[in-house]
Amino acid sequence: MTRRLWKPQKTSQQRSKTEVRRIIFTLIAVVSFSAALAQWLHAQEGSSAFEPTLPNKTRAPGKASEGMVWIPGGEFSMGASTNGHGMDEMPMASNDAGPIHRVRVDGFWMDATPVTNGQFEKFVKATGYVTIAERTPTQEEFPTAPAENLVAGGVVFAPTDRDVPLTDHYQWWSYVKGANWRHPIGPQSDIKGKENYPVLQIAYPDAEAYAKWAGKRLPTEAEFEFAARGGLSGKTYVWGDEFRPNGKWMANTWQGKFPVKDTGDDGYAGIAPVKSFSPNGYGLYDMAGNVWEWCADWYRLDYYKTLTDKGGVVSNPKGPESPFDPAEPNEKKRVHRGGSFLCNEQYCSRYIVGTRGKGEVNTGTNHLGFRCVKSP
Ligand SMILES: [Ca+2]
Ligand SMILES: [Cu+2]
């Protein structure tokens, strides 16, 4: 249980020597690990090309529940080749999305949109569920946290008032007391009139609880990517290879200088109602923007490498046995997919299909939601 309670105001001068040493060691570990992986990926390049998606021919076994669409499943090439030479960490995508490997998934139903505030409200009314962001963290869970940090809340993005180095995400992320799904960016905010916006400030166990109540489950990372590709093979985006075909905005992302000002050229500075942009080939909305979405898999930087080492087509992969992110080795992270309204080409172009996000399981943010799937 290591929900994020960090505070942004600590400057580097205030950091203790041990803390600095710990950071340096982590950096060394990350850099050497990434370098080795990059080298290995480079060697694989010849064999890592995308091959055609082969959707199953089986029809949907019965009628879809409301708001869900049938995803036929099939065999496809999974991962992203965005040169593969960058760091696994932000800014750019990403070593963790390679090598490209062959995967087979069974057919399933998927929510056409992320779960909305309106839908989540029904769940809370029916069950009395209290989300993690609404619960006060205890000293038992966080023995080293100062008492004043033990307050209920969530992680919130705030634009900076000037250019900042993109290597320090504490410049634009902070833990905000009272931020939760009803108040996504803090106590002064609310969701009135936003029933059809994606629900935010959702931790993994919250998403799981909702899914269980709805008789559904969270998608595996492979299911999410198969669905996102919408029947296409090896395209850069879920709609094709051009970011703006005929000048059309295809997903809710960030325009302008990050993280200073989102100019909202795509129609939305910040979050958008679901279905504000065109669906993909399977009729799914918001698969490459608006909000990140939880997947069921643990996050491991090298997971695709372990799969490729085994060889052959991987059938219905469910992620590694345990999580490991060398950038933050003590955090238990699961995969995020889809990209958010904050994604941009300067920092994290994760609207590129096949790229991967990740997050500590008990941490909700104001750019993270989820959707559910169901097997026949
Ligand atoms: Ca936007
Ligand atoms: Cu992003």
Side-chain angles (χ1 to χ4, degrees):
M1 291 284 281
T2 45
R3 175 173 161 199
R4 302 215 172 191
L5 301 174
W6 35 256
K7 290 196 148 187
Q9 56 267 51
K10 218 180 200 185
T11 66
S12 48
Q13 287 94 329
Q14 287 168 311
R15 284 201 170 115
S16 71
K17 267 192 192 150
T18 34
E19 199 178 349
V20 170
R21 210 174 303 140
R22 193 178 56 81
I23 290 168
I24 289 170
F25 276 126
T26 309
L27 276 176
I28 290 170
V30 171
V31 169
S32 41
F33 190 81
S34 303
L37 192 65
Q39 219 169 30
W40 185 86
L41 287 171
H42 200 77
Q44 301 301 308
E45 247 167 2
S47 60
S48 67
F50 285 99
E51 284 171 51
T53 297
L54 307 170
N56 294 331
K57 300 229 160 52
T58 40
R59 286 178 182 276
K63 233 178 129 239
S65 351
E66 201 198 324
M68 298 190 99
V69 295
W70 175 248
I71 309 299
E75 202 181 297
F76 75 115
S77 296
M78 183 166 168
S81 60
T82 50
N83 300 325
H85 309 306
M87 290 282 291
D88 58 280
E89 255 312 298
M90 307 295 183
M92 303 305 284
S94 68
N95 276 336
D96 62 357
I100 312 292
H101 56 292
R102 250 350 228 180
V103 170
R104 190 185 304 118
V105 292
D106 296 336
F108 56 98
W109 283 285
M110 186 175 222
D111 290 344
T113 73
V115 172
T116 61
N117 286 322
Q119 291 170 321
F120 200 78
E121 176 135 48
K122 278 189 194 146
F123 157 62
V124 168
K125 277 203 173 126
T127 59
Y129 185 83
V130 177
T131 61
I132 296 218
E134 295 167 286
R135 303 177 203 168
T136 305
T138 64
Q139 196 81 69
E140 219 169 14
E141 293 168 304
F142 302 96
T144 56
E148 72 265 23
N149 285 10
L150 297 176
V151 293
V155 173
V156 173
F157 169 87
T160 55
D161 56 5
R162 74 212 124 80
D163 285 7
V164 291
L166 294 182
T167 45
D168 179 12
H169 62 261
Y170 293 103
Q171 298 279 346
W172 56 87
W173 286 114
S174 50
Y175 186 79
V176 171
K177 182 183 174 181
N180 59 52
W181 74 276
R182 291 182 194 278
H183 308 282
I185 60 173
Q188 301 85 351
S189 65
D190 62 48
I191 54 169
K192 279 188 200 97
K194 294 192 171 168
E195 291 75 17
N196 62 342
Y197 282 64
V199 66
L200 304 172
Q201 295 295 359
I202 295 296
Y204 187 81
D206 304 331
E208 248 187 339
Y210 175 95
K212 197 174 170 202
W213 169 79
K216 304 179 185 178
R217 61 182 172 81
L218 295 173
T220 65
E221 186 173 18
E223 287 171 334
F224 193 101
E225 183 169 327
F226 183 91
R229 291 186 175 279
L232 303 174
S233 314
K235 296 295 181 191
T236 308
Y237 309 108
V238 309
W239 54 84
D241 277 330
E242 232 186 302
F243 186 61
R244 289 178 63 190
N246 302 313
K248 193 177 172 199
W249 294 102
M250 299 299 288
N252 186 14
T253 60
W254 171 290
Q255 293 85 48
K257 180 86 186 162
F258 185 81
V260 184
K261 176 140 180 81
D262 181 356
T263 53
D265 295 353
D266 59 15
Y268 299 90
I271 195 167
V274 300
K275 294 193 177 181
S276 294
F277 295 79
S278 300
N280 77 350
Y282 286 144
L284 299 166
Y285 294 84
D286 291 338
M287 291 298 278
N290 215 15
V291 287
W292 283 106
E293 300 177 32
W294 284 111
C295 285
D297 307 38
W298 288 119
Y299 175 82
R300 266 194 85 98
L301 173 77
D302 60 353
Y303 180 53
Y304 292 3
K305 182 182 173 323
T306 59
L307 292 182
T308 331
D309 285 349
K310 277 186 210 149
V313 180
V314 191
S315 218
N316 297 303
K318 292 188 163 46
E321 291 294 310
S322 58
F324 182 65
D325 179 4
E328 292 182 294
N330 298 320
E331 302 282 8
K332 286 190 167 57
K333 296 186 183 182
R334 291 194 191 260
V335 171
H336 295 163
R337 279 299 189 117
S340 86
F341 61 84
L342 295 175
C343 287
N344 62 82
E345 56 182 11
Q346 303 141 57
Y347 184 64
C348 58
S349 46
R350 304 292 170 90
Y351 36 74
I352 293 174
V353 63
T355 59
R356 315 172 71 199
K358 64 214 167 179
E360 193 278 315
V361 289
N362 290 316
T363 303
T365 71
N366 70 315
H367 75 331
L368 170 65
F370 71 104
R371 80 178 74 204
C372 304
V373 296
K374 199 158 116 178
S375 292

